[in-house]
Amino acid sequence: MENVLKVGAAPHIVTKHDTRSVMLDVVIALMPALLAGVYFFGYRAALIVLISIASAVAFEHIWNVALKKPTTIGDLSAVVSGILLAFNLPSTVPLWLPVAGSFFMIVIIKMAYGGLGHNFMNPALGARAFLLASWPSYMTSFTKPQAKLFPVLSPDFVTQATPLGILKEQSGEALPTYLDMFLGNLAGCIGETSKIALLIGFIYLLARGVISWKIPVAFAGTVAALAWVFGGDTLFTGDWLMHLLTGGVFLGAIFMATDYTTTPITESGMIIFGIGCGLLTMIIRLVGGYPEGGSYSILIMNVLTPLLDKYIIPKPFGKAAKKIA
Amino acid sequence: MLLKTFKGGVHPNDCKRFTKDFAIEEMPAPPTMIFPIIQHIGAPSEIVVKKGDYVKVGQLIAKQTGFVSANHHSSVSGTVKSIEAHFHPNGSMVDSIIIENDGKYDVFEDVKPAKPLEQLTDKEIVQIVSDAGIVGMGGASFPTHVKLVPPEGTRIDYVIINCAECEPYLTSDYRAMLEDGDDIIFGCKAIMKALSAPKCLIVVEDNKKDAARHLENLLKDEENISVVVVKTKYPQGSEKHIIFSATGRKVPSGKLPADVGVFVANTDTAASIARAVKTGMPLISRIVTVTGGAIKNKKNLRVRIGTPIRNVIEAAGGFVAEPERIILGGPMMGKGVFSIDLPVIKGTSAILAMTKEDLGINVVTNCTRCGKCVQACPMRLVPVTLAMHSKNENEEMLKKYHVTDCIECGACSYICPARKDPLQMIRVGKRYVIDRARMKKAQ
């Protein structure tokens, strides 16, 4: 038979969205929060994000070259990790800190376990936990937002406690208003303060079908419910809005707890994951030793994910149906 | 208003615009026609002609063997040139009847109209359908007369005519609805009569609203036949899912539509039944959408069964670009073929000549466990996990994850951003589990 054609098995067509385009969508969704971070914390925030991205991509590339593996930086996952790591740092950290974080994030958590899709916990949060344990003083000195793009070049930072820190220490400092919390005009990490910017990113991700609403809504909903019930002096008097709008709940719920690799793949698994994150966050906030528990709660749920995926087997279509007489 | 639909599924670009506005053209048959004895699911048919015989249009050339089998008829008049093994669209060599077309199209004497529908009994209708060699024309080619005789004690409440045409590119059902609406409705009535079914639903996706409206106009005076518009989503045309969307009934796993009181037939099947009753002409032609980026004049053709694909592509103006892959059927479930010297058979709904661009880019990365395949699976399975267990031939886990419920629609492989193509692995695992079960039974 002359001119034999190439064959292939169905389906013959594939969606336009591939790993790279999905990662690009996440990068785009992170842009409003990045702009807000730079607006509130000045050029230094941008510098830290850039260093973090560059070092994350560089470490991944060096790893592949050193182990003679095909290059994987084209999938843009290192860029996403780099941005998320920087978002979890205060703007005052020394410039070598994001590099150290990137090393732990890319080399230890991601590549040593097999690269994209094989890490057992969220790389950015794992690196944050590493940095927090190693250099706690750098990681917990937050500055007051300056709300101007180019502050004085030798930054003379005014440190300020985060609202959750104020609550924990019961220092009596004034809390920011809800509007400031929503816009991002409060002390905190670079990417976590502006809730409105994170929400814009959330809506973009939902519209593009990159993530599902289940984990973020379950996470935030649980935080709000528990804060309302247990957050006050007596039951059902807690300031749930304050708990929702401060700390890393938005950043964590939208961008960290929806990381594909370290979260369940089934719908009910996602709901349980979200509720678990919310529960652990509030336990750490209300009775734990740290002011903020978002990142640890996600890390704990990350390592529980294989169990969730193992024990949740969805019912197939038609399996539960009763015969119609 | 929310349209009726099912959970899961994907939304591929439907690409129907290339051919939807072209009316069906009759394609003249070429000099040589190929009739394989397998054009259906079930036992291969038995050849009843021999080399040198003269056959006419509509004459039986291969008769059914057993109940689950189908008759096949000549679609041209001419001489039987040879009976030999010929390549079949399924990839293997199948005994085929090669007929030299004399171009006269003399109609066989026995082809004559049956009694009016009102006077036919249910048994007579089933006999006509069986004699006419009608099979499901959506692609699976299951003999229709078998489905028209449901198991004892089963009551059919709904006849569903599957006009969803959820596969991208395909427009044959759409054109049939616009051009052969009367035949489709006549076919509905014949099926309803054969099954004594009280209601008939013609189910159309909402990207073909004009066709739905056209049918509604034709159905103005019919009380028992109605048009149901459902959401455009792949695989809306899957039997189990169209039943759910239209009636809310779920076919239990391992059961048939008849078990929930539903009968499903394809658009062209209904029209073919109408033709067989009205004129006595058996199934000798079908509508084929010829499209894809490599085809010059994309169009809908009425092609006589047995026409080699090469001639169909020539009738559509040939290639304008290098075809990367030629597919019989839709791009989601159709078969890629290695040659164009294969015949159009009863289940060939389309011939797609796809260019590299049509097929999409395949940059394989690691699986990110994004779970999009889980969201997309219309059977609510976990494709990524099934693929893993298939790879490890883990029979126990494959069963635990219900591998045999997979309908192989390809939604998981379509949606996968890492291009891991889980369906390929799942097919292997499904076969493995089924084979093991058979082996155990045999022991």
Side-chain angles (χ1 to χ4, degrees):
Chain A
M1 223 169 221
E2 95 296 0
N3 196 12
V4 173
L5 296 158
K6 282 182 217 165
V7 291
H12 304 279
I13 49 170
V14 285
T15 161
K16 279 201 284 292
H17 304 289
D18 57 5
T19 304
R20 185 189 164 90
S21 78
V22 167
M23 293 297 168
L24 191 63
D25 273 338
V26 179
V27 172
I28 293 168
L30 285 165
M31 283 305 121
L34 176 62
L35 292 178
V38 174
Y39 175 76
F40 287 116
F41 300 109
Y43 77 98
R44 210 158 189 288
L47 192 60
I48 285 167
V49 173
L50 279 181
I51 291 172
S52 182
I53 296 172
S55 55
V57 173
F59 283 130
E60 184 162 324
H61 194 61
I62 291 166
W63 174 276
N64 285 328
V65 170
L67 293 183
K68 300 192 174 66
K69 285 175 187 280
T71 178
T72 52
I73 52 172
D75 62 31
L76 297 182
S77 61
V79 175
V80 173
S81 298
I83 299 175
L84 286 174
L85 173 65
F87 273 19
N88 276 292
L89 303 174
S91 58
T92 50
V93 293
L95 295 181
W96 54 265
L97 202 76
V99 180
S102 279
F103 175 81
F104 190 81
M105 170 172 81
I106 296 294
V107 175
I108 310 286
I109 300 180
K110 186 178 172 192
M111 300 315 281
Y113 282 85
L116 179 67
H118 294 288
N119 44 297
F120 67 102
M121 60 161 80
N122 188 313
L125 285 181
R128 177 192 145 97
F130 159 76
L131 294 177
L132 193 60
S134 310
W135 296 282
S137 60
Y138 289 135
M139 290 295 288
T140 51
S141 69
F142 298 99
T143 73
K144 210 178 158 138
Q146 295 129 338
K148 44 185 161 166
L149 201 47
F150 295 103
V152 271
L153 277 176
S154 64
D156 180 17
F157 295 113
V158 184
T159 58
Q160 189 190 37
T162 63
L164 286 171
I166 296 169
L167 281 184
K168 197 89 193 173
E169 305 299 326
Q170 302 195 322
S171 56
E173 275 180 68
L175 288 169
T177 63
Y178 290 132
L179 185 66
D180 278 344
M181 289 185 194
F182 190 61
L183 294 177
N185 192 13
L186 73 164
C189 297
I190 293 170
E192 72 177 17
T193 59
S194 178
K195 308 304 170 312
I196 182 156
L198 291 165
L199 267 184
I200 292 169
F202 182 46
I203 290 163
Y204 177 79
L205 288 181
L206 285 183
R208 296 280 294 170
V210 174
I211 60 170
S212 107
W213 56 269
K214 293 184 187 74
I215 293 176
V217 171
F219 189 165
T222 309
V223 166
L226 289 175
W228 177 59
V229 177
F230 299 110
D233 296 330
T234 56
L235 286 183
F236 304 108
T237 56
D239 188 351
W240 59 272
L241 197 56
M242 198 272 311
H243 272 281
L244 212 52
L245 292 178
T246 55
V249 173
F250 270 64
L251 179 64
I254 296 168
F255 290 102
M256 303 292 191
T258 55
D259 168 43
Y260 287 154
T261 306
T262 53
T263 56
I265 50 178
T266 59
E267 286 179 2
S268 35
M270 288 180 185
I271 302 275
I272 295 173
F273 183 94
I275 292 173
C277 286
L279 187 68
L280 289 168
T281 302
M282 288 316 290
I283 289 175
I284 296 172
R285 277 189 188 178
L286 296 176
V287 294
Y290 283 106
E292 167 59 320
S295 59
Y296 289 110
S297 71
I298 295 171
L299 287 176
I300 293 167
M301 292 310 289
N302 282 165
V303 293
L304 280 175
T305 296
L307 284 180
L308 289 176
D309 276 344
K310 186 175 172 186
Y311 288 109
I312 295 172
I313 302 175
K315 267 204 185 78
F317 180 88
K319 214 50 168 194
K322 288 196 183 77
K323 198 180 166 187
I324 294 159
Chain B
M1 196 194 86
L2 277 174
L3 284 163
K4 292 178 174 178
T5 189
F6 59 96
K7 256 184 133 182
V10 292
H11 298 273
N13 184 351
D14 73 7
C15 292
K16 292 185 194 286
R17 60 181 188 281
F18 300 125
T19 50
K20 73 189 271 280
D21 297 325
F22 292 106
I24 302 165
E25 287 174 40
E26 197 79 31
M27 182 198 156
T32 309
M33 304 288 277
I34 308 156
F35 299 91
I37 58 165
I38 302 176
Q39 298 189 35
H40 56 274
I41 290 180
S45 315
E46 188 191 324
I47 297 170
V48 294
V49 290
K50 54 185 190 301
K51 191 177 167 183
D53 280 4
Y54 185 78
V55 294
K56 292 180 175 175
V57 177
Q59 185 173 347
L60 187 72
I61 52 174
K63 71 164 199 257
Q64 70 182 80
T65 54
F67 187 53
V68 185
S69 182
N71 287 328
H72 300 301
H73 306 81
S74 176
S75 61
V76 291
S77 60
T79 319
V80 177
K81 196 171 138 200
S82 66
I83 290 165
E84 59 179 46
H86 193 279
F87 274 113
H88 185 275
N90 72 9
S92 59
M93 301 286 273
V94 170
D95 285 344
S96 305
I97 303 156
I98 317 286
I99 294 176
E100 200 84 51
N101 175 15
D102 67 2
K104 289 184 188 145
Y105 302 105
D106 287 338
V107 176
F108 189 51
E109 296 77 29
D110 284 3
V111 173
K112 45 181 181 274
K115 284 184 278 184
L117 185 59
E118 293 74 34
Q119 294 167 23
L120 287 171
T121 64
D122 51 353
K123 289 223 170 62
E124 282 170 332
I125 295 173
V126 174
Q127 196 55 48
I128 291 169
V129 171
S130 169
D131 289 344
I134 292 169
V135 300
M137 290 168 81
S141 308
F142 190 77
T144 304
H145 64 267
V146 180
K147 290 203 289 185
L148 283 175
V149 186
E152 206 65 38
T154 318
R155 203 186 69 218
I156 300 291
D157 307 320
Y158 290 105
V159 169
I160 291 180
I161 304 299
N162 186 345
C163 301
E165 199 162 57
C166 58
E167 280 265 13
Y169 288 96
L170 271 53
T171 51
S172 50
D173 288 355
Y174 171 77
R175 291 312 309 181
M177 281 187 275
L178 289 179
E179 297 177 38
D180 302 338
D182 290 321
D183 276 353
I184 295 171
I185 292 164
F186 189 91
C188 295
K189 288 180 192 161
I191 297 168
M192 284 162 75
K193 181 121 203 239
L195 293 163
S196 347
K199 276 214 70 83
C200 177
L201 306 171
I202 299 177
V203 187
V204 188
E205 278 189 347
D206 69 335
N207 62 353
K208 295 177 272 289
K209 279 207 187 91
D210 47 340
R213 232 170 283 133
H214 173 73
L215 288 178
E216 267 165 5
N217 283 336
L218 293 177
L219 286 168
K220 254 187 224 136
D221 308 319
E222 302 289 339
E223 270 175 35
N224 301 326
I225 308 176
S226 50
V227 177
V228 180
V229 178
V230 293
K231 197 172 161 190
T232 303
K233 182 158 79 167
Y234 180 86
Q236 191 67 265
S238 141
E239 199 167 59
K240 290 184 174 188
H241 297 93
I242 202 159
I243 290 172
F244 179 73
S245 298
T247 69
R249 296 181 181 188
K250 278 187 181 173
V251 182
S253 126
K255 300 277 183 185
L256 296 170
D259 293 309
V260 292
V262 181
F263 169 93
V264 184
N266 175 263
T267 322
D268 218 8
T269 311
S272 301
I273 292 173
R275 262 173 243 131
V277 174
K278 276 184 185 166
T279 66
M281 184 55 82
L283 175 52
I284 55 156
S285 69
R286 68 158 299 138
I287 310 164
V288 177
T289 305
V290 190
T291 182
I295 295 286
K296 189 172 172 209
N297 306 319
K298 304 168 183 71
K299 54 171 86 174
N300 301 295
L301 290 170
R302 178 162 283 285
V303 179
R304 285 171 190 261
I305 307 287
T307 306
I309 295 164
R310 180 184 296 278
N311 300 96
V312 182
I313 291 172
E314 276 163 15
F319 296 124
V320 280
E322 175 84 9
E324 176 72 10
R325 199 177 285 180
I326 292 186
I327 302 159
L328 299 188
M332 295 298 286
M333 283 187 85
K335 274 202 167 72
V337 292
F338 53 86
S339 159
I340 53 174
D341 293 313
L342 306 167
V344 168
I345 57 172
K346 289 176 179 175
T348 310
S349 52
I351 299 171
L352 306 184
M354 307 288 266
T355 59
K356 264 201 178 94
E357 291 74 46
D358 293 334
L359 293 175
I361 319 153
N362 279 301
V363 185
V364 181
T365 66
N366 286 351
C367 169
T368 55
R369 286 172 33 86
C370 64
K372 279 181 195 283
C373 52
V374 186
Q375 284 168 39
C377 181
M379 294 305 293
R380 316 313 291 154
L381 305 173
V382 191
V384 56
T385 313
L386 280 174
M388 182 184 79
H389 292 313
S390 297
K391 213 172 192 170
N392 301 335
E393 298 195 338
N394 190 337
E395 192 191 354
E396 186 198 343
M397 291 309 281
L398 282 171
K399 279 190 192 155
K400 212 170 157 184
Y401 278 88
H402 314 284
V403 72
T404 48
D405 280 302
C406 173
I407 56 169
E408 303 185 24
C409 67
C412 51
S413 290
Y414 170 83
I415 204 76
C416 182
R419 305 287 188 260
K420 286 304 230 189
D421 208 346
L423 178 58
Q424 297 325 324
M425 247 11 262
I426 297 171
R427 279 201 187 106
V428 173
K430 189 176 163 187
R431 267 262 69 89
Y432 178 75
V433 168
I434 292 171
D435 287 349
R436 295 277 294 188
R438 266 197 204 135
M439 265 160 63
K440 263 179 210 152
K441 227 179 176 179
Q443 271 165 15

